[in-house]
């Protein structure tokens, strides 16, 4: 039995754009509470360093699957 913890993959903005089909601006707008395009279900980004952020790949995939299942484009 494998008891080692599974590592979660971190995606950078280009990976999130490819997976969602959204532009860079749209991805950032989805996470901006002050944007009219804000989506509270969109996965939050997290700080990787002082100048970079990442997203949990599993959560981004789950968001895309949710959109596909609901029939939203």
């Amino acid at each position: 039995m494998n008891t080692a913890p599974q590592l979660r993959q971190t995606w950078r903005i280009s990976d999130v754009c490819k997976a969602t089909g959204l532009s860079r601006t749209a991805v950032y707008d989805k996470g901006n509470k002050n944007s009219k395009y804000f989506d509270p279900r969109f996965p939050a980004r997290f700080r990787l360093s002082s100048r970079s952020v990442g997203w949990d790949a599993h959560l981004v995939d789950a968001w895309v699957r949710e959109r596909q299942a609901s029939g939203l484009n």
Side-chain angles (χ1 to χ4, degrees), residues 10-52:
T10 299
W11 281 351
R12 301 294 300 271
I13 186 67
S14 61
D15 302 313
V16 176
C17 291
K18 287 177 192 173
T20 62
L22 298 172
S23 68
R24 290 173 56 94
T25 301
V27 169
Y28 285 112
D29 280 345
K30 294 280 186 199
N32 180 354
K33 293 180 182 177
N34 297 321
S35 171
K36 67 179 183 177
Y37 302 109
F38 174 67
D39 181 352
R41 294 175 310 272
F42 193 77
R45 65 182 186 252
F46 54 91
R47 180 121 343 252
L48 296 171
S49 70
S50 63
R51 296 186 59 178
S52 65

